[in-house]
Amino acid sequence: MERRVNDRTRLVVIGGDAGGMSAASQARRRCGPDDLEIVALERGDHTSYSACGIPYLVGGTVPSADELIARDPATFIRDHAIDVRTGTEATDVDLDRRVVRTVDAQGAEREERFDRLMIATGAVPIRPDWPGSDAEGIFGVQTLADGIRVREYVDERRPRRAVVVGGGYIGLEMAEAFLERGMRVDLVEAAPEPMGTLDPDMGRLVREAVCAMGVEFHPGAKVTGFETAGGRVSAVVTEQAVHEADIVVLGMGVRPDSDLARRAGLRIGPTGGIAVDRRMRTSASDVWAAGDCVETFHRVSRAPVAIALGTHANKQGRVAGTNIGGGYAHFAGVVGTAITKICGLEVSRTGLNEKEAQRAGFEFETVTVESTTRAGYYPGATTMCLKLLAERRTGRLLGGQIVGRENAGKRVDVLATALWNDMSVEEVSGMDLGYAPPFSPVWDPVLIAARKLSEKTEASPG
Amino acid sequence: MERRVNDRTRLVVIGGDAGGMSAASQARRRCGPDDLEIVALERGDHTSYSACGIPYLVGGTVPSADELIARDPATFIRDHAIDVRTGTEATDVDLDRRVVRTVDAQGAEREERFDRLMIATGAVPIRPDWPGSDAEGIFGVQTLADGIRVREYVDERRPRRAVVVGGGYIGLEMAEAFLERGMRVDLVEAAPEPMGTLDPDMGRLVREAVCAMGVEFHPGAKVTGFETAGGRVSAVVTEQAVHEADIVVLGMGVRPDSDLARRAGLRIGPTGGIAVDRRMRTSASDVWAAGDCVETFHRVSRAPVAIALGTHANKQGRVAGTNIGGGYAHFAGVVGTAITKICGLEVSRTGLNEKEAQRAGFEFETVTVESTTRAGYYPGATTMCLKLLAERRTGRLLGGQIVGRENAGKRVDVLATALWNDMSVEEVSGMDLGYAPPFSPVWDPVLIAARKLSEKTEASPG
């Protein structure tokens, strides 16, 4: 019997960034075009780009947006036989009829039949409905298109005063990018310290470095709206002050974009993310999801969590694609690792911070040590600050935070690996980490901190 | 009743470097001078110094030997009430009579009574009995005194041609130090590649870097002796060639210095190191040992191993001191981690290399990946080479080796932590490591290598 093209299984992927395209690529790796047709719908123009690189594009470290694109639509079409349709938004999913309704840039509506569906709709930025929000010169920086728009605005309009609303990773990175472009930068933050994923005592170190570079930090600020002139933003207004602005970036975090999934009847978890199992299957058969739109399992708190990070999206997408393609893979969860470089400081964290540990119901002890990244006598040794949390009764490591200069931040991976394995701080303190004068004092900072914390817990055997 | 000084327990420590003085300090921390008298015997002049810093002293990066001394004898005496006697060698231990016989620099013999004994005699350099070995200008670089002698010889005699025998860590570091002092450097090594703790394919990368800096590398060389002129070395003679030399450094490794312990009747293990349990107790009651003179447990091979490293000595000494002082501590073993920086290359390894894995009876697969230390588009991204070994049937990680430029080497700690926890490469590939463009590509090199290796093992579930 002749094989007919229509016999092919049809996979529709909604969302053409990390999660969606990882899944599509992995499914394709397992099933050739004769067995699996893959259509990927992307409402924007870009696929598979590094959102984390956007601040470097704006700051000028990265000269062109092309460098942030790992694979463009043409590459997927040509090399992977994945029918990528940019400018195409999925508006509805009908699980009974197995169709996705779409609308393209010209407003034309269509229906796409699917046998298997992959949802990777990403995240939506949190945007309060402040008066003046739609003025020219106010930007989010979530998508590559956003980043290109900010870069163009800066290149063309040469703004002199920037206000960044929100002192998280992206806000701080954008503040530094604007400094690099020669602007006066005000950073407006609701909390007392920036970098809310750190504890305030560690956030303070970041604030000091950012302020030393010239950023004006405004803590405890409550934005009420924007002033505009001729349709363009001219100031950010808070309950405390008016900050003049030629350009404004909003970096107040994101939430899972799970609306399409919710309307389709898929189960949504307590975090607002699409609920998935370890194989990235949603509550409906033959429907998978991955990336910023899902919630995942936090291995330390044992609770669901929604963390918008490209690394998770890539891994989850890969897992989904393996399973869609008939293999077996599972996603083992996260431990909450994050890292950034801000104004010369390396900042990283993993596990739970104090607030998160409290919320998860842990009783814990903390320790903060100052150490150096090299032997004290070796040139280039700089101080680094390392904070650890451990469960009081068992000594189980719960989290870690690092703020330091070069060669400090990536040490968080040791803590992430220790958390992954449910190690106690006493165990950590005995580990065989690399020592040589250019890399560490003879007692590695991680070991020192773990030892000191071990002595504070009730599990200390000594 | 009046408390008499003689009621005090008396701890004698043989060896005043990392292992011995860590034990002494920790015992003192637990027991004040009224309860515990501590006498430390050191045959040399120095205590608690960084042997790893010696090449930097010779090369000039570290200006003075004082900087390598963590705590000198006066500090121990004054701040810790530890009676440190330098220039005092322990010649015999009589376990029945509980005395250590000593001889001081003047040849005076004494007996020191002990209630508890701590042996930290360190390691002895491996020195074949080559003709001419005792000529002036031939040095080992094991102790700080050695390092000071080499530095002085270089400062005073201004040698122009250096030959280093042995291409391990210390040999390579000394070769670089001599280059920095402006010498022509020949490196003579018996094996085909330097850095024998790496597999030859990784050692080759080190050789290329070292040669690019100007070192003349002579592989497969078999030293037969030295030529001398007027009592001073003038050449190193191998079966292949004659290498003219104004100064020679021997770096052919060390073995545990367990002779004193053996003569005292303590059990010596198969590696030649003193056998100890996890609490660092020897086979005799009230006698502990730590540091380069003992053998320890390798968590991957599950076999005894003797590894001369200050980090282990410090940890083991601390464990011994805690137990001597009446507390509880244990040393959990090693995974074989080591790191160095050579001619701009960061080189590290952990676990088992191919030869060690074979010897331990593992069937294994390997993978070698080239990746970058930062996102490709981020300035300063350099390539790094990462090799992993995993057990064929189970996928269990067995070892890892890294050769790269800045920010490459310390990543070995993630692998060391994974080995510590018996992780499979599949598990490792799913871990939540820190990603941001200044620190890593979006798929961290460790994750890429683990994933690729996972696909080669029989444990791959996909």
Side-chain angles (χ1 to χ4, degrees):
Chain A
M1 194 182 91
E2 239 182 68
R3 186 180 178 86
R4 283 172 25 225
V5 169
N6 288 356
D7 283 341
R8 293 192 299 176
T9 301
R10 192 164 207 256
L11 166 65
V12 170
V13 177
I14 304 177
D17 198 8
M21 297 318 289
S22 292
S25 302
Q26 194 60 18
R28 171 60 75 230
R29 212 179 135 190
R30 299 194 155 257
C31 300
D34 288 346
D35 296 318
L36 185 69
E37 181 186 3
I38 307 180
V39 177
L41 312 172
E42 164 56 42
R43 70 181 155 196
D45 295 329
H46 305 288
T47 51
S48 293
Y49 56 85
S50 168
C52 302
I54 291 171
Y56 309 107
L57 175 66
V58 173
T61 303
V62 171
S64 139
D66 295 342
E67 295 203 41
L68 300 185
I69 298 171
R71 279 182 286 187
D72 64 9
T75 305
F76 282 111
I77 293 168
R78 190 182 56 237
D79 297 348
H80 302 272
I82 295 169
D83 181 5
V84 179
R85 305 191 191 156
T86 52
T88 305
E89 182 163 6
T91 52
D92 272 300
V93 173
D94 186 330
L95 289 177
D96 294 332
R97 292 181 50 231
R98 307 233 139 193
V99 293
V100 177
R101 271 185 285 275
T102 67
V103 58
D104 68 16
Q106 285 72 45
E109 296 184 11
R110 280 188 62 163
E111 284 192 348
E112 294 292 342
R113 180 187 68 75
F114 65 83
D115 300 302
R116 294 176 185 178
L117 181 64
M118 173 72 209
I119 301 180
T121 40
V124 276
I126 293 163
R127 293 279 167 82
D129 190 22
W130 290 320
S133 291
D134 53 356
E136 200 185 338
I138 302 178
F139 298 94
V141 281
Q142 206 225 346
T143 65
L144 183 56
D146 291 335
I148 292 170
R149 273 192 292 271
V150 175
R151 165 83 180 243
E152 286 174 354
Y153 196 84
V154 172
D155 287 348
E156 287 163 18
R157 300 287 173 83
R158 302 274 163 197
R160 292 180 301 105
R161 296 162 307 178
V163 176
V164 175
V165 181
Y169 292 84
I170 189 74
L172 287 166
E173 287 165 6
M174 289 306 300
E176 183 177 14
F178 287 144
L179 278 185
E180 282 166 5
R181 299 299 297 265
M183 290 179 235
R184 177 207 150 98
V185 182
D186 289 281
L187 182 60
V188 169
E189 164 61 44
E193 298 290 358
M195 199 70 88
T197 61
L198 302 184
D199 292 326
D201 55 331
M202 298 296 279
R204 179 179 59 79
L205 304 177
V206 179
R207 190 240 306 153
E208 286 168 357
V210 168
C211 291
M213 292 283 282
V215 170
E216 293 287 325
F217 182 67
H218 306 282
K222 193 150 185 271
V223 173
T224 54
F226 303 95
E227 289 180 1
T228 60
R232 251 185 238 169
V233 70
S234 61
V236 174
V237 183
T238 71
E239 286 184 354
Q240 292 75 23
V242 174
H243 305 289
E244 295 189 352
D246 304 317
I247 185 169
V248 174
V249 156
L250 305 177
M252 288 160 301
V254 297
R255 59 172 179 77
D257 191 352
S258 53
D259 292 351
L260 185 76
R262 179 183 280 112
R263 283 186 278 112
L266 296 179
R267 193 164 87 75
I268 306 298
T271 68
I274 302 169
V276 289
D277 67 8
R278 282 159 49 102
R279 297 188 66 186
M280 307 312 295
R281 295 180 292 204
T282 68
S283 57
S285 61
D286 295 322
V287 183
W288 285 262
D292 297 357
C293 62
V294 306
E295 67 177 27
T296 186
F297 173 69
H298 196 296
R299 294 172 66 98
V300 183
S301 69
R302 305 265 149 193
V305 66
I307 296 177
L309 269 181
T311 40
H312 302 330
N314 275 324
K315 289 198 199 87
Q316 292 168 347
R318 213 184 142 81
V319 166
T322 299
N323 292 322
I324 290 169
Y328 175 88
H330 72 268
F331 183 73
V334 303
V335 293
T337 311
I339 187 168
T340 188
K341 192 170 185 177
I342 293 291
C343 296
L345 268 198
E346 297 186 0
V347 182
S348 55
R349 58 94 71 207
T350 188
L352 308 177
N353 62 25
E354 290 200 33
K355 202 185 282 177
E356 290 164 342
Q358 272 152 14
R359 203 181 299 140
F362 288 105
E363 295 196 1
F364 58 89
E365 298 287 343
T366 73
V367 77
T368 305
V369 301
E370 259 206 8
S371 183
T372 55
T373 53
R374 304 174 189 227
Y377 57 79
Y378 194 89
T382 57
T383 60
M384 59 176 278
C385 194
L386 171 60
K387 178 173 183 172
L388 295 183
L389 282 71
E391 190 177 22
R392 183 174 299 144
R393 193 173 53 77
T394 65
R396 177 189 172 198
L397 180 67
L398 295 177
Q401 299 163 45
I402 295 173
V403 177
R405 301 264 154 198
E406 54 150 6
N407 302 319
K410 253 303 217 179
R411 290 165 198 254
V412 78
D413 287 351
V414 176
L415 301 174
T417 308
L419 285 170
W420 193 270
N421 290 286
D422 281 337
M423 291 180 83
S424 71
V425 280
E426 197 224 337
E427 283 180 277
V428 171
S429 74
M431 282 207 305
D432 184 4
L433 303 184
Y435 161 66
F439 300 98
S440 158
V442 66
W443 284 98
D444 190 280
V446 168
L447 303 183
I448 296 172
R451 169 156 54 81
K452 291 200 171 172
L453 186 49
S454 165
E455 288 165 2
K456 287 175 84 172
T457 67
E458 292 166 10
S460 173
Chain B
M1 194 182 93
E2 237 182 67
R3 185 180 178 89
R4 284 170 27 225
V5 168
N6 289 353
D7 282 340
R8 292 191 300 174
T9 300
R10 192 165 206 255
L11 167 65
V12 171
V13 177
I14 304 177
D17 198 9
M21 296 320 288
S22 293
S25 303
Q26 193 62 16
R28 172 58 77 230
R29 213 180 135 190
R30 299 196 155 255
C31 299
D34 289 344
D35 296 320
L36 185 70
E37 181 187 3
I38 307 179
V39 177
L41 312 172
E42 165 56 41
R43 70 181 155 196
D45 296 328
H46 304 288
T47 51
S48 292
Y49 56 86
S50 168
C52 302
I54 291 171
Y56 308 107
L57 175 66
V58 173
T61 303
V62 171
S64 140
D66 294 343
E67 296 203 39
L68 301 185
I69 297 170
R71 277 182 287 187
D72 63 9
T75 305
F76 282 112
I77 294 167
R78 190 182 55 238
D79 297 349
H80 302 274
I82 295 170
D83 180 4
V84 179
R85 306 192 191 153
T86 53
T88 304
E89 182 163 6
T91 53
D92 272 299
V93 173
D94 187 330
L95 290 177
D96 294 330
R97 291 181 50 232
R98 306 234 140 194
V99 292
V100 177
R101 271 184 287 277
T102 67
V103 58
D104 68 17
Q106 284 73 43
E109 295 185 11
R110 280 188 63 159
E111 284 192 348
E112 294 292 342
R113 179 187 69 76
F114 65 83
D115 300 303
R116 293 178 184 177
L117 181 65
M118 173 72 208
I119 301 179
T121 39
V124 275
I126 293 164
R127 292 280 168 82
D129 189 22
W130 290 320
S133 290
D134 53 357
E136 200 185 341
I138 301 178
F139 298 94
V141 281
Q142 205 224 347
T143 64
L144 184 56
D146 292 336
I148 292 170
R149 274 192 292 271
V150 175
R151 166 82 180 243
E152 285 173 354
Y153 197 86
V154 172
D155 287 348
E156 287 162 18
R157 300 288 174 82
R158 303 274 161 196
R160 291 179 302 106
R161 296 161 309 179
V163 177
V164 175
V165 181
Y169 291 84
I170 188 75
L172 288 166
E173 288 164 7
M174 288 306 300
E176 184 177 13
F178 288 143
L179 277 186
E180 283 166 6
R181 298 299 298 266
M183 290 178 236
R184 176 207 151 98
V185 182
D186 289 281
L187 182 62
V188 169
E189 164 63 44
E193 299 289 358
M195 199 70 88
T197 61
L198 303 183
D199 292 327
D201 54 333
M202 299 296 279
R204 180 178 58 79
L205 303 177
V206 179
R207 191 239 307 152
E208 288 167 357
V210 168
C211 292
M213 292 283 282
V215 171
E216 292 289 324
F217 182 67
H218 307 281
K222 193 151 183 273
V223 173
T224 56
F226 304 95
E227 291 181 358
T228 61
R232 251 185 240 166
V233 71
S234 62
V236 175
V237 184
T238 72
E239 287 184 354
Q240 292 76 23
V242 174
H243 305 288
E244 295 188 354
D246 305 317
I247 186 169
V248 174
V249 156
L250 306 176
M252 288 159 300
V254 297
R255 59 171 179 78
D257 190 351
S258 52
D259 292 352
L260 186 75
R262 179 182 281 114
R263 284 189 278 113
L266 297 179
R267 195 164 86 74
I268 306 298
T271 68
I274 302 169
V276 289
D277 67 8
R278 281 160 49 104
R279 297 187 67 186
M280 306 313 294
R281 295 180 291 204
T282 68
S283 57
S285 62
D286 295 321
V287 182
W288 285 261
D292 296 358
C293 62
V294 306
E295 67 177 28
T296 186
F297 174 70
H298 196 297
R299 294 172 65 99
V300 183
S301 69
R302 304 267 150 192
V305 67
I307 297 176
L309 270 182
T311 40
H312 302 330
N314 275 322
K315 288 197 199 87
Q316 291 169 348
R318 215 185 139 80
V319 166
T322 299
N323 293 322
I324 289 170
Y328 176 88
H330 73 267
F331 183 73
V334 302
V335 295
T337 311
I339 186 168
T340 187
K341 190 170 185 176
I342 295 290
C343 296
L345 269 197
E346 298 185 359
V347 182
S348 55
R349 57 94 70 207
T350 189
L352 308 177
N353 62 25
E354 291 201 32
K355 203 185 283 179
E356 291 164 342
Q358 271 153 15
R359 203 181 299 141
F362 287 105
E363 297 196 358
F364 58 89
E365 298 287 343
T366 73
V367 78
T368 305
V369 300
E370 260 205 10
S371 183
T372 56
T373 53
R374 304 173 188 229
Y377 57 78
Y378 193 89
T382 57
T383 60
M384 59 175 278
C385 194
L386 171 60
K387 178 173 182 172
L388 295 183
L389 280 72
E391 191 177 23
R392 183 174 299 143
R393 191 174 53 78
T394 64
R396 177 190 171 197
L397 180 67
L398 295 177
Q401 298 162 46
I402 296 173
V403 176
R405 303 263 154 198
E406 52 148 10
N407 302 319
K410 255 301 221 181
R411 291 165 197 254
V412 77
D413 287 352
V414 176
L415 302 173
T417 308
L419 285 170
W420 194 269
N421 290 285
D422 281 337
M423 292 180 82
S424 71
V425 282
E426 198 224 337
E427 282 179 278
V428 170
S429 75
M431 281 207 305
D432 184 4
L433 304 183
Y435 161 66
F439 300 99
S440 159
V442 66
W443 284 98
D444 188 281
V446 168
L447 303 183
I448 296 172
R451 167 154 56 80
K452 291 200 171 171
L453 186 49
S454 166
E455 288 165 1
K456 287 175 85 172
T457 67
E458 291 167 10
S460 173

